[in-house]
Amino acid sequence: MAIEDGAIDLDAVGDHFRFRRTDAFGKVQEILLSDNDVLQLAASAVNLQGMVLRRAKKAGPRDLVVMQVAQAGIGIDANKGNVHLKMIDPGGVSVAFAVPLVVAKPFAEGLLRRIPELEEKMAAKLTEG
């Protein structure tokens, strides 16, 4: 059964959140969500976005949903052995990751190798056009 487009809202209601969907015909469905429900939904959002876009484009599972980043921050949690990466999109939406040291080290090394490659390709593009 196809679901017609409508509108969705997420509002704070007391200690909970109300997720409400109004379909194209005005029928309203709603569910109350806890703080934990909202955090789980938010954590799944990028994955859900990727599934929808892959379905629409008939893309493969390796295609990525890319979030443009306007700012980034880095910190550490020595107690848990994590590097904290925070990325903020142009609209101010932020995503943070706790990256274990065993993942962070090869990531940093790879990033340092790829930056000169990107700079070279960008410079070549400028001279072409």
Side-chain angles (χ1 to χ4, degrees):
M1 177 174 121
I3 297 176
E4 299 295 325
D5 282 339
I8 60 169
D9 297 296
L10 184 61
D11 302 308
V13 178
D15 290 339
H16 295 88
F17 294 89
R18 179 179 51 220
F19 186 72
R20 181 177 26 208
R21 182 178 187 283
T22 305
D23 71 16
F25 306 105
K27 181 180 175 188
V28 176
Q29 297 174 310
E30 61 182 49
I31 183 173
L32 285 181
L33 304 172
S34 68
D35 290 352
N36 191 49
D37 293 333
V38 172
L39 292 173
Q40 287 181 28
L41 181 62
S44 301
V46 172
N47 187 39
L48 292 170
Q49 183 183 22
M51 288 189 294
V52 170
L53 292 174
R54 282 191 294 275
R55 184 184 312 159
K57 295 185 340 183
K58 302 293 188 242
R62 292 182 163 248
D63 289 345
L64 298 174
V65 175
V66 177
M67 174 180 152
Q68 294 298 316
V69 175
Q71 297 177 356
I74 189 166
I76 60 167
D77 180 348
N79 293 327
K80 295 187 178 178
N82 292 325
V83 173
H84 288 178
L85 298 178
K86 183 176 183 179
M87 294 175 226
I88 304 168
D89 79 1
V93 176
S94 66
V95 177
F97 300 91
V99 185
L101 185 58
V102 297
V103 175
K105 285 180 81 171
F107 174 76
E109 292 163 0
L111 187 60
L112 288 173
R113 281 193 311 270
R114 299 303 302 258
I115 288 174
E117 178 186 346
L118 177 59
E119 290 173 333
E120 183 181 308
K121 289 183 179 195
M122 289 174 66
K125 238 179 147 176
L126 286 175
T127 58
E128 288 175 2

